[in-house]
Structures are given as structure tokens and as C-alpha cells.
Amino acid sequence: MNILDNFLVHYLRRFDRDCFTVRLHDKTYTIGEGQPLFNIIINKDIPKKELLASTSLALGEAYMRKDVEIEGDLFTALRCLLSQNSQFSLDKSFFKRLLYPSESKAAQKQQVSSHYDLGNDFYAKWLDPSMSYSCAYFKKDDDTLEQAQHNKVHYILEKLALEEGMTLLDIGCGWGYLLIEAAKKYGIKGYGCTLSKEQWKKGQERIEALDLQDKVQIDLVDYRDLVAEAAKYDRIVSVGMLEHVGRSNYPLYMETASHLLKDGGMFLLHYISGHDESIGNPWMRKYIFPGGNLCLRSAKS
């Protein structure tokens, strides 16, 4: 075993709660005790410096480059490693801009664009036809992703207690599916805002295809600028958008929603949370929640 092999295998031994194997330079090493659940194949060395700077980013990007492959069930491998994320290395000094990004309007607009404007064709490859980009609600074991997203959206609409003629604001409306469903089923007038040009474009196409121009409107605008328009809404909803707001903007976000809501109205906020608060990890910050607030993680299992 050469020096690199010795370090890499030694490093991976910290994740020994479950048993798995590591194949490196035509040799196989067993981590943990029992029957191996999966095999990690190392096709190209992972620099020690990268692993120590950020385990999540080093392993995540190595997998994206196919320098690392998983033989077996990927979900099982991820569950094994992520359930032991307390063993991850992180040198915060290397990732200050990534972990503590600017939460200004200009910076957040760029962050949203870099993530959501990758192209609607890209998102269509792995989202369901509704293009819903937040957790789904599987009511039955055999629900498809499309059905589960339909379940989630209509469960939200039921909670909002919508009535015909009401006005509904969707802060961070994505590709517009929730507003369109609300207009079709409840006869409301919907207004959505997004900072993604691609989402806005797809939303316009959907609205025109269903001839809902008099019922649904989506604008390319920052939620912070809605107050200037002096409009008030019977209902406000926001699904999976708070993750991108930024911790310093929480008070402003809630104050904005309160200002835009009519007296006696209702605001439904749907977001990812957890038991423990942390700054997250560089891979999540770079590829999943760019520029977002402090990530919230679940308690250790």
C-alpha cells in the first residue's frame, strides 16, 4: 500500500458504522464489520488536501467526475456516509465565500440565475412534468413522482382554504404549477415572482397554453420589490424558497409577507428544516442551495 492508499483507506475507516469495501489500485479493503453493503471504487486518486479541506466537496465532485463510483445501491451508500457527517472534515477558511455568501439583491439574483437558469430541458430530465422542485408527498407506496407532486400541491391549496375570486401570491413560484392549479380548481387570481429567467419563460408558456392570462401572472421580480407595488393578497404561499433567502434576510422576508397580506389573510410557508443548525457543507452550498441561508440538518440517527 503506497502512502496515498494508506491515507485514503485510513481516512475512510472513520465511516465504519456500516460495512463496505473500497477498491483502489486493484486491491480491495474492507471497512467496518459484517457483510459489505456496497463497494466504493476509486478510479482516480483523491488528493489528501481536498479531503481534509472538505470531505463532502471532495467526494461529491469525485463522484461527479466518475473518479469515484458506487457499486451497489447508491442510496444505501449515501445513507451510510451522511449519517456519519460528524466525521467529515471542513476547513472553513478555504470556503468563506461559499459558506458565508453575500445576501444582497445583486448577489442573490446571480446565485439564483446560476442555479435555475441552467435550462428547462435540463430540469425536465429529472423533475416530473409539473416541474415541481420541492419535496413531494407520497400518499401511497406506488405513487409516481408526478402523482406525489400533485398530492403535495393540492394539499397545500386545501390548507390555504381558497375561494373563488381570492388573490394568491406565490413568493418564488418556480415554473408556475401551483398558481396554475389554484386558478384552474378554485378560480383565484394568482400572482407569482421569480428571479429565474428560465422559470419565468416556462411559466409564460404554460399560462398562454391554458389561456389563463386573465387569471395568472408571473413576473421576473425580487420579492423585496413587491412592497412598492402596494398590492395586497388574500393568501400568500411560498414553497421551498426560504432556503435561498439568507439568514440575515429572515426578518425582512417575514415583514414583507406580513405587509403584502390582507387583514385576516393566510400565509403558508413550506421549507426544509431540522433539529440542528449548521452552516451546511460546501458541496450542498455549491450545487444545491447556492447563496442560501444556514443549512438546517436533522439530528443524528
Side-chain angles (χ1 to χ4, degrees):
M1 186 187 300
N2 63 34
I3 294 176
L4 177 62
D5 291 2
N6 184 63
F7 171 76
L8 185 53
V9 174
H10 172 73
Y11 189 86
L12 290 174
R13 288 192 188 281
R14 63 178 61 191
F15 304 104
D16 62 356
R17 183 183 301 173
D18 297 304
C19 183
F20 61 94
T21 60
V22 179
R23 190 183 307 161
L24 175 64
H25 296 157
D26 297 322
K27 293 183 179 180
T28 300
Y29 306 91
T30 300
I31 309 294
E33 298 181 357
Q35 185 69 26
L37 300 178
F38 56 92
N39 183 36
I40 298 178
I41 303 170
I42 310 295
N43 296 319
K44 186 177 180 180
D45 297 337
I46 304 174
K48 175 181 177 180
K49 181 179 179 181
E50 293 183 12
L51 274 172
L52 293 178
S54 170
T55 306
S56 67
L57 194 61
L59 292 179
E61 291 190 333
Y63 181 80
M64 292 164 66
R65 295 189 302 265
K66 296 188 177 180
D67 293 345
V68 170
E69 295 183 86
I70 301 298
E71 191 173 70
D73 184 59
L74 177 60
F75 179 77
T76 298
L78 288 173
R79 183 174 59 184
C80 168
L81 296 174
L82 294 178
S83 68
Q84 303 175 77
N85 61 9
S86 61
Q87 301 300 318
F88 283 17
S89 298
L90 175 59
D91 186 340
K92 296 178 185 177
S93 65
F94 275 73
F95 302 103
K96 286 184 179 179
R97 293 185 64 184
L98 193 60
L99 296 174
Y100 304 99
S102 169
E103 294 175 352
S104 68
K105 281 185 181 180
Q108 290 191 330
K109 183 177 182 180
Q110 190 279 326
Q111 291 154 5
V112 167
S113 180
S114 70
H115 189 67
Y116 293 102
D117 287 342
L118 292 172
N120 292 327
D121 289 344
F122 166 72
Y123 283 100
K125 290 182 182 295
W126 52 279
L127 294 180
D128 77 295
S130 76
M131 301 286 278
S132 296
Y133 191 36
S134 57
C135 57
Y137 176 25
F138 290 84
K139 296 172 70 173
K140 300 178 181 178
D141 290 343
D142 60 352
D143 277 347
T144 63
L145 178 58
E146 181 177 8
Q147 181 62 52
Q149 291 291 12
H150 178 88
N151 295 342
K152 184 270 300 295
V153 166
H154 283 273
Y155 188 40
I156 288 172
L157 297 181
E158 288 175 15
K159 285 189 173 187
L160 286 168
L162 296 168
E163 296 177 7
E164 186 172 356
M166 279 185 171
T167 53
L168 171 64
L169 167 65
D170 187 348
I171 302 176
C173 65
W175 290 270
Y177 178 67
L178 184 148
L179 286 174
I180 288 171
E181 290 296 288
K184 287 165 55 180
K185 184 172 182 178
Y186 296 95
I188 57 89
K189 295 201 70 172
Y191 181 79
C193 62
T194 178
L195 289 177
S196 165
K197 292 180 180 179
E198 287 291 304
Q199 289 183 338
W200 175 84
K201 177 182 176 182
K202 181 68 174 180
Q204 303 309 310
E205 293 173 356
R206 286 176 155 179
I207 292 167
E208 291 174 10
L210 294 168
D211 197 24
L212 289 173
Q213 295 93 326
D214 63 333
K215 288 289 187 180
V216 180
Q217 178 182 344
I218 296 175
D219 283 342
L220 200 59
V221 62
D222 191 295
Y223 75 94
R224 286 163 282 199
D225 294 328
L226 296 179
V227 173
E229 298 180 9
K232 297 276 187 176
Y233 299 89
D234 297 296
R235 300 287 189 266
I236 300 177
V237 65
S238 187
V239 182
M241 190 271 191
L242 188 68
E243 295 86 340
H244 299 287
V245 165
R247 186 174 181 82
S248 68
N249 290 323
Y250 281 175
L252 175 61
Y253 180 81
M254 299 305 294
E255 289 167 8
T256 299
S258 178
H259 183 87
L260 294 170
L261 193 62
K262 291 181 180 178
D263 291 342
M266 186 187 301
F267 175 33
L268 189 151
L269 179 62
H270 175 296
Y271 63 99
I272 296 174
S273 185
H275 297 156
D276 303 321
E277 187 172 34
S278 77
I279 60 171
N281 66 65
W283 191 86
M284 288 288 288
R285 285 305 194 100
K286 186 174 181 179
Y287 294 105
I288 306 300
F289 293 128
N293 53 272
L294 297 183
C295 291
L296 296 168
R297 64 186 181 197
S298 298
K300 298 179 183 67
S301 57

